[in-house]
Amino acid sequence: RLKETLKTHFGFENFRSKLQEDVVKAVVKRDRDVFVCMPTGAGKSLCYQLPAVLAQGITLVVSPLIALIQDQVDRLKSLNIPACSINSKLPVGERRLILADLGSSSPKLKLLYITPEMVASPSFQPCLTGLCSRGLLSYLAVDEAHCVSQWGHDFRPDYLKLGSLRARLGIPCLALTATAPKNVQDDIVKSLCLSSPLSFVSPVFRSNLHYDVIFREILPNPYVHLYAFIKKALGQENRPNSQGCGIVYCRTREGCESLAYQLTKLGILAKAYHAGLKAGDRTEVQNEWMQGKVLVIVATISFGMGVDKATVRFVAHWNLPKSLASYYQESGRAGRDGLPSWCRIYYSPKDKEQISFLIRKEVKRRQEKRGCEKDTDRAAITDFEAMVSFCVQEGCRHAAISRFFGNTAPSCAGACDFCRNPKAVRAQLERATALSTTTQAQSEAPKGAFGFQPDLYEGGKKGYGFERYDESESGRGEDDSTKRKKEFSELFRKQMGLRKAGDGGRQDFVPPDASCPLRDASSQKVPGLTVKAREHCLSLLQEALYGQQRAAETSRSDSLAAAVDVEHEVFVSSKSSNLYKAAILKKVSELKKTTPGVETTKVGGESRPERELRQEAPPSSSSVSEELLGFTPASELYSMKRKRVGAGQRGSSDPFQAARDLLGPPVCGPGSAEMKSTPPPPVTRGIQARASAVSASSHSSSKVDWGLNRRQQKLAEAAKTSHNISQYFPKEKQQWTLESDGKEGGDQPSAPAAEAAGASPMGSEGRGAGAGGGDSKAEVVMISDDDAEEQTRAEPESTTEQNKREEEEATAPLTSQTGDVEEKRDSSPPPKRSRSAGGSSRRVSFNPTPQVRALPQEPSPVTLKEAADVVVRYLDPFYTQGKFASKELFKAFARYLSHLLTEGRSRGRSQVRAQAKALINSFFSRVQRCESEADWKDLRRARS
Ligand SMILES: Nc1ncnc2c1ncn2[C@@H]1O[C@H](COP(=O)(O)OP(=O)(O)OP(=O)(O)O)[C@@H](O)[C@H]1O
Ligand SMILES: [Zn+2]
């Protein structure tokens, strides 16, 4: 009967192994709990899926990742096996249907997949209790069961709740894992309350996997080395059309992008995959890889769980994995078809240092958070030590893995570099040692195993700084962030002090975590500025923005995206760590000033994070020096508001606010030494402040430009003599009046269009924080990189990990274009703008001229954003076809073209569309593949 079901339902003639058969037989008996530890790809899923099909009732399967679940459910559905999942991403309609089936007397469903969080969620309890009381549950299967163990490499606190679930359900339980050493196995049995389970544990050894380790630092050109390895592994040297493919794991998102680029440049089409990509992009890349259109995927560890591809011929690790257990799992994705496959680590001692630092940091943070130490705290350290040992040892790699999992050393038969050629391994080690001795000439000899200083580690629960799972860190309050900051600085100083001892100020930049959302996260452009400090500043900005945008119902992820932009803007224009911090601080306080109903815990008139930063910021006089150095104080920047850039500026903000500002007290301190000695009248200062805002927004950070255009000068003159300056705001008045009418919408794109353009909920208004119509800066921001992407690939991001977006590219300065745009704005009619309810209501209170409502509306020309929309749409297919050497180039080109199309006289939409199409087509008829910006230097001529 088993064989028959295996064939009719799963299409397999036989069990994959005797072990698989034995497990299935034991499970269908239903008289014992079962524990299964089988290598990756051994066919564990079938061990519960087949019994589930045969059983009366429903099998509840707990799995850690929604993506993994989705994959399994899709596979089962394709086999016509009734399976589904209830999770947070499920559309309401589908959820209702599933619950209806589960509530019926004889549900059709055979397998119900859920995450551990869902199992524990109150909303799921009635359904669970109903199923249980009606005796409709047949099995509880716990996949990736090592997540229940605090000794395991992927401990997941919610898995701990499964013990009580198991006791409550009273049905046979099956726990499955591929990566569980003895202590983890014991922990699983204990934590899941398995009662004297039948254990099926097969050795981890997979003879078809060939392991080796290459010391990256001694290679003349590591990229070329990797390229050669890939070529060889894919057999392309001899068989150009072989079906194989491979994975390169990188620790950071940035690393993925640049490595994919390097490989593609060398001739192997490789694409990056990481949580910073939009969901749609990730799916696209994964599909292309699954279908063999892209041979190499360069991914962070967010890729691979549940990916069942048999022909993975190699798995390379460009960076050191966090533990030997995870390495076994990740490398085990190779050779699932049983054919020879290659697993390589590009080892680097620098990498080791950085990762061990991150591990220690995370360990310490968690310990402090918990307030005590635990026995399991050392697990993270020892697992990482085992990983390092695997790389730097002189011994069989397979034996190292087997020993780690408690198996006896297998007969490797040349399936690792050491067993194949021990001399070469030794020679490599010697060369690496010699190299490190040279570079660290005077430095203190590292203590402890593999250069660690064990007493510094003091254990750790689970964190490595780059967890696999999307574990929510919600609830981390201000207190915690303060603590983290302190702890980080302490640990950092201590570590760096230790490392620097005697080595003459070696580079001590701590690299970003894999999930670091900062743009240009690895850049060391600002001396002394740490990634951590930048992250902290980002969180302050995000909080401020979130508070400000709440009225517009902007989500946290959007405020993060906006914060990333602002932070990056400050970062690129800062020359020292202190100036950077001061600029951030000002931005934060400025944002808070404009936040309706600010909810910050103020201590002594200042919020805690602000105070904290201020302690590190330069004295207040620095604002003067900042300006002299070319920095514009944030109070003048209004970067998150629509900036008013002088009267008549198209789409500029509330005229009354502007007038009030202009006539009121000075906005900020003096802007230059010259101004300091002869302060101009307030109105001029107000305008100057705005002029400086334009200057800053144009990224002309090297000088403060006080030049006013004619209109602005006129305005200043008028303001000196009269308070009636409204004549200079006719268009704005019209705009304001329409807005104050309470109409939301105006010229805003329709909802789907806005979404497609990346405008919802953080499109043009989102970035402006509901503070007014679009100005030139806002327009520039609008077609900044992430918007450009969103225009074609708008997809909601929902998991925590997905929301941690990383913006890799620096926003191009666009200085010249900005100037062009501004010129045009002066003479072009203002577009109507929608604004948030919050923004609108604030302005209504200043409305003295409702009668202006009747003013005729002028037609709105195509805006920069709309042009960008069009451009990206036409350009995207070319990008997809690999016609751009990099994503940066694609974006730069899109930006350039958008500006080009909106330059000069205003155009209608269809005109812009036609021009964009013609220009792009003619460009690619001349240029085979866009390799540099020089390729489009003739485009302007082509247009004219
Ligand atoms: N009896 C069988 N005959 C042939 N193929 C099988 C058999 N059982 C399972 N497989 C196939 O083996 C592959 C691996 O199975 P599965 O995904 O269950 O592995 P796993 O042990 O869960 O691996 P991982 O630990 O990586 O999740 C799948 O493509 C599955 O369809
Ligand atoms: Zn070996």
Side-chain angles (χ1 to χ4, degrees):
R1 187 159 157 242
L2 292 181
K3 280 263 173 84
E4 197 188 306
T5 315
L6 184 67
K7 189 158 182 199
T8 55
H9 285 79
F10 294 92
F12 299 137
E13 291 295 332
N14 285 302
F15 283 102
R16 190 153 205 182
S17 62
K18 172 85 171 46
L19 190 68
Q20 192 187 45
E21 185 172 2
D22 289 347
V23 174
V24 172
K25 281 179 178 168
V27 176
V28 295
K29 273 192 184 165
R30 298 179 51 85
D31 58 350
R32 297 271 292 274
D33 287 337
V34 173
F35 172 77
V36 177
C37 185
M38 272 156 65
T40 46
K44 290 185 285 296
S45 316
L46 192 91
C47 298
Y48 60 83
Q49 287 170 349
L50 200 158
V53 170
L54 287 171
Q56 298 261 320
I58 299 159
T59 294
L60 198 61
V61 186
V62 180
S63 184
L65 278 181
I66 294 177
L68 188 58
I69 288 175
Q70 205 49 54
D71 189 65
Q72 295 268 2
V73 169
D74 290 347
R75 207 178 304 166
L76 288 167
K77 279 184 177 165
S78 74
L79 295 170
N80 281 326
I81 297 172
C84 74
S85 159
I86 295 184
N87 60 59
S88 53
K89 286 186 181 176
L90 202 66
V92 182
E94 266 183 57
R95 190 191 187 96
R96 206 174 294 137
L97 282 177
I98 294 170
L99 290 175
D101 179 56
L102 294 175
S104 68
S105 52
S106 52
K108 292 188 183 65
L109 208 62
K110 283 277 131 201
L111 292 110
L112 176 61
Y113 281 80
I114 41 174
T115 59
E117 288 80 10
M118 185 53 75
V119 173
S121 95
S123 67
F124 185 63
Q125 299 317 304
C127 170
L128 195 60
T129 312
L131 290 172
C132 198
S133 61
R134 290 180 293 141
L136 289 176
L137 291 176
S138 51
Y139 296 105
L140 171 65
V142 181
D143 207 359
E144 308 289 346
H146 57 273
C147 295
V148 82
S149 170
Q150 300 190 39
W151 294 104
H153 62 107
D154 275 324
F155 170 60
R156 187 93 179 264
D158 279 303
Y159 259 72
L160 282 178
K161 297 174 187 154
L162 299 179
S164 58
L165 176 79
R166 194 246 160 281
R168 176 177 150 203
L169 298 182
I171 49 173
C173 179
L174 170 67
L176 310 106
T177 178
T179 51
K182 189 72 178 77
N183 58 348
V184 176
Q185 290 177 22
D186 294 343
D187 218 13
I188 292 171
V189 170
K190 202 171 102 207
S191 303
L192 290 179
C193 306
L194 303 182
S195 54
S196 40
L198 273 171
S199 280
F200 295 87
V201 180
S202 73
V204 292
F205 175 57
R206 287 176 59 191
S207 59
N208 65 320
L209 298 186
H210 293 251
Y211 282 94
D212 69 7
V213 177
I214 300 292
F215 278 59
R216 207 172 65 207
E217 249 105 77
I218 58 175
L219 299 174
N221 187 335
Y223 297 126
V224 172
H225 198 276
L226 175 65
Y227 169 77
F229 165 71
I230 293 173
K231 278 279 207 188
K232 201 166 178 186
L234 295 184
Q236 291 199 350
E237 282 178 336
N238 312 319
R239 295 172 292 138
N241 293 319
S242 71
Q243 283 301 300
C245 64
I247 308 171
V248 182
Y249 280 110
C250 261
R251 197 171 63 80
T252 65
R253 299 169 183 186
E254 229 172 26
C256 292
E257 294 283 352
S258 75
L259 198 51
Y261 170 71
Q262 293 291 347
L263 289 173
T264 306
K265 218 167 76 176
L266 285 166
I268 285 198
L269 181 59
K271 287 204 175 174
Y273 177 107
H274 52 75
L277 297 177
K278 307 261 179 308
D281 286 358
R282 281 205 304 270
T283 313
E284 193 184 310
V285 172
Q286 181 166 335
N287 286 343
E288 284 178 342
W289 181 78
M290 290 295 284
Q291 292 157 12
K293 289 182 192 160
V294 171
L295 296 185
V296 180
I297 196 159
V298 186
T300 55
I301 53 167
S302 64
F303 177 80
M305 271 278 212
V307 171
D308 181 28
K309 185 157 188 186
T311 55
V312 177
R313 290 279 72 84
F314 74 88
V315 173
H317 278 74
W318 196 243
N319 303 104
L320 201 55
K322 63 175 183 175
S323 75
L324 193 52
S326 18
Y327 180 56
Y328 175 69
Q329 191 168 43
E330 285 151 21
S331 61
R333 289 177 189 135
R336 284 163 86 96
D337 55 7
L339 295 176
S341 306
W342 285 264
C343 307
R344 168 170 292 179
I345 292 180
Y346 280 91
Y347 178 80
S348 146
K350 214 161 113 193
D351 234 21
K352 181 201 79 178
E353 289 281 311
Q354 292 175 343
I355 295 166
S356 78
F357 180 83
L358 290 173
I359 292 176
R360 288 196 301 276
K361 184 186 78 175
E362 188 63 20
V363 158
K364 187 128 178 149
R365 180 180 79 77
R366 285 170 188 274
Q367 254 176 5
E368 276 196 16
K369 195 174 173 183
R370 198 195 308 131
C372 67
E373 292 175 21
K374 274 190 175 181
D375 284 352
T376 45
D377 282 353
R378 275 204 61 79
I381 312 295
T382 40
D383 280 10
F384 182 65
E385 284 178 349
M387 184 68 252
V388 178
S389 169
F390 173 90
C391 296
V392 301
Q393 69 169 4
E394 290 179 29
C396 172
R397 315 281 179 192
H398 279 289
I401 294 175
S402 294
R403 271 197 306 272
F404 178 81
F405 285 105
N407 303 159
T408 51
S411 152
C412 167
C416 85
D417 52 353
F418 185 81
C419 295
R420 235 180 4 255
N421 191 348
K423 266 192 199 154
V425 170
R426 253 175 231 129
Q428 181 183 233
L429 270 170
E430 275 159 22
R431 276 168 62 206
T433 313
L435 187 76
S436 79
T437 322
T438 324
T439 47
Q440 296 186 6
Q442 307 304 319
S443 78
E444 205 178 292
K447 300 184 188 88
F450 324 116
F452 290 122
Q453 312 218 356
D455 45 325
L456 283 176
Y457 298 178
E458 294 160 10
K461 189 170 71 168
K462 66 166 285 238
Y464 298 78
F466 36 94
E467 288 94 4
R468 176 191 306 281
Y469 300 116
D470 306 339
E471 192 193 341
S472 155
E473 288 272 291
S474 59
R476 182 191 294 163
E478 210 173 70
D479 280 349
D480 194 33
S481 90
T482 315
K483 235 177 172 183
R484 281 194 74 175
K485 187 170 182 299
K486 268 199 207 123
E487 163 238 296
F488 172 78
S489 342
E490 258 172 44
L491 190 65
F492 183 83
R493 263 195 294 273
K494 199 169 157 191
Q495 282 298 303
M496 288 313 152
L498 281 167
R499 255 168 247 193
K500 273 186 190 165
D503 82 353
R506 229 173 55 200
Q507 181 59 270
D508 54 6
F509 181 76
V510 180
D513 291 5
S515 59
C516 176
L518 293 167
R519 191 181 298 172
D520 274 349
S522 305
S523 168
Q524 299 177 40
K525 180 191 151 296
V526 179
L529 182 61
T530 64
V531 173
K532 209 67 215 169
R534 285 187 66 194
E535 281 177 346
H536 183 70
C537 290
L538 183 69
S539 72
L540 295 184
L541 282 169
Q542 192 195 353
E543 274 313 303
L545 281 165
Y546 182 59
Q548 198 188 47
Q549 294 171 359
R550 245 178 310 203
E553 290 182 8
T554 305
S555 72
R556 261 189 189 279
S557 61
D558 292 321
S559 56
L560 175 62
V564 167
D565 285 341
V566 181
E567 190 281 336
H568 184 256
E569 195 180 306
V570 174
F571 176 69
V572 292
S573 59
S574 297
K575 288 182 180 136
S576 79
S577 172
N578 274 352
L579 288 179
Y580 164 90
K581 285 170 189 166
I584 291 282
L585 191 57
K586 283 178 188 169
K587 288 220 174 216
V588 168
S589 81
E590 194 57 36
L591 285 167
K592 283 184 178 167
K593 264 186 222 159
T594 59
T595 301
V598 186
E599 288 172 27
T600 322
T601 323
K602 296 265 176 183
V603 182
E606 200 174 28
S607 74
R608 218 175 300 181
E610 283 168 9
R611 242 182 333 124
E612 193 183 287
L613 249 189
R614 195 177 290 287
Q615 281 161 11
E616 292 184 39
S620 57
S621 64
S622 68
S623 58
V624 178
S625 62
E626 274 168 42
E627 283 172 30
L628 292 172
L629 284 169
F631 295 108
T632 305
S635 52
E636 291 180 13
L637 270 172
Y638 292 100
S639 72
M640 296 314 295
K641 293 172 63 178
R642 299 284 168 203
K643 288 181 203 76
R644 272 205 90 266
V645 262
Q649 197 63 31
R650 178 180 132 142
S652 58
S653 62
D654 181 355
F656 287 87
Q657 200 173 359
R660 203 177 31 155
D661 285 355
L662 288 166
L663 300 168
V667 174
C668 194
S672 69
E674 196 184 325
M675 281 185 66
K676 229 177 158 184
S677 52
T678 52
V683 60
T684 323
R685 267 183 271 167
I687 298 165
Q688 282 168 338
R690 273 153 192 84
S692 105
V694 178
S695 150
S697 68
S698 309
H699 294 259
S700 54
S701 58
S702 57
K703 64 179 195 317
V704 179
D705 181 6
W706 295 112
L708 307 179
N709 65 27
R710 267 183 56 218
R711 196 178 184 83
Q712 287 168 330
Q713 283 167 8
K714 270 185 171 180
L715 172 64
E717 282 304 310
K720 272 187 216 168
T721 53
S722 158
H723 279 206
N724 179 17
I725 60 165
S726 60
Q727 53 174 312
Y728 290 95
F729 299 95
K731 287 163 188 169
E732 288 165 331
K733 191 174 288 173
Q734 175 194 352
Q735 179 201 348
W736 169 79
T737 312
L738 288 166
E739 287 160 1
S740 65
D741 192 30
K743 280 183 193 152
E744 297 212 8
D747 204 23
Q748 196 182 30
S750 60
E755 229 171 81
S760 175
M762 261 301 292
S764 54
E765 288 308 308
R767 285 183 194 282
D775 72 337
S776 53
K777 166 63 180 165
E779 300 278 8
V780 171
V781 172
M782 271 186 252
I783 60 153
S784 71
D785 303 336
D786 51 328
D787 279 338
E789 274 185 60
E790 278 178 334
Q791 283 161 5
T792 45
R793 304 179 187 125
E795 272 202 56
E797 298 178 22
S798 38
T799 65
T800 321
E801 190 56 26
Q802 282 160 5
N803 284 337
K804 287 181 189 162
R805 298 173 55 197
E806 181 200 52
E807 319 288 348
E808 298 84 357
E809 303 80 10
T811 313
L814 291 169
T815 316
S816 58
Q817 289 96 322
T818 307
D820 290 345
V821 173
E822 279 167 11
E823 266 316 301
K824 182 170 76 78
R825 297 287 180 260
D826 258 6
S827 55
S828 55
K832 284 175 288 166
R833 290 274 166 187
S834 73
R835 61 177 71 242
S836 70
S840 179
S841 64
R842 262 189 302 163
R843 276 163 191 81
V844 166
S845 63
F846 288 105
N847 180 4
T849 55
Q851 69 278 11
V852 192
R853 191 178 308 161
L855 282 174
Q857 292 179 30
E858 294 179 46
S860 55
V862 168
T863 63
L864 194 54
K865 179 156 182 61
E866 285 160 350
D869 215 357
V870 171
V871 166
V872 172
R873 202 163 301 140
Y874 285 129
L875 220 48
D876 197 56
F878 293 95
Y879 174 67
T880 315
Q881 289 161 28
K883 297 265 188 183
F884 285 93
S886 71
K887 198 155 77 180
E888 288 75 16
L889 264 184
F890 162 69
K891 288 176 180 175
F893 186 60
R895 263 196 302 266
Y896 179 81
L897 206 50
S898 309
H899 279 278
L900 197 61
L901 288 166
T902 48
E903 261 176 16
R905 70 185 169 84
S906 49
R907 285 174 194 76
R909 210 173 276 232
S910 56
Q911 226 179 337
V912 166
R913 241 182 258 143
Q915 271 208 359
K917 202 170 171 182
L919 281 172
I920 292 170
N921 285 337
S922 95
F923 176 75
F924 282 107
S925 67
R926 283 181 292 111
V927 179
Q928 189 64 24
R929 185 164 184 264
C930 182
E931 301 282 353
S932 78
E933 300 200 2
D935 287 347
W936 65 73
K937 68 177 191 313
D938 293 333
L939 211 61
R940 191 178 290 269
R941 212 180 315 133
R943 177 184 168 234
S944 54

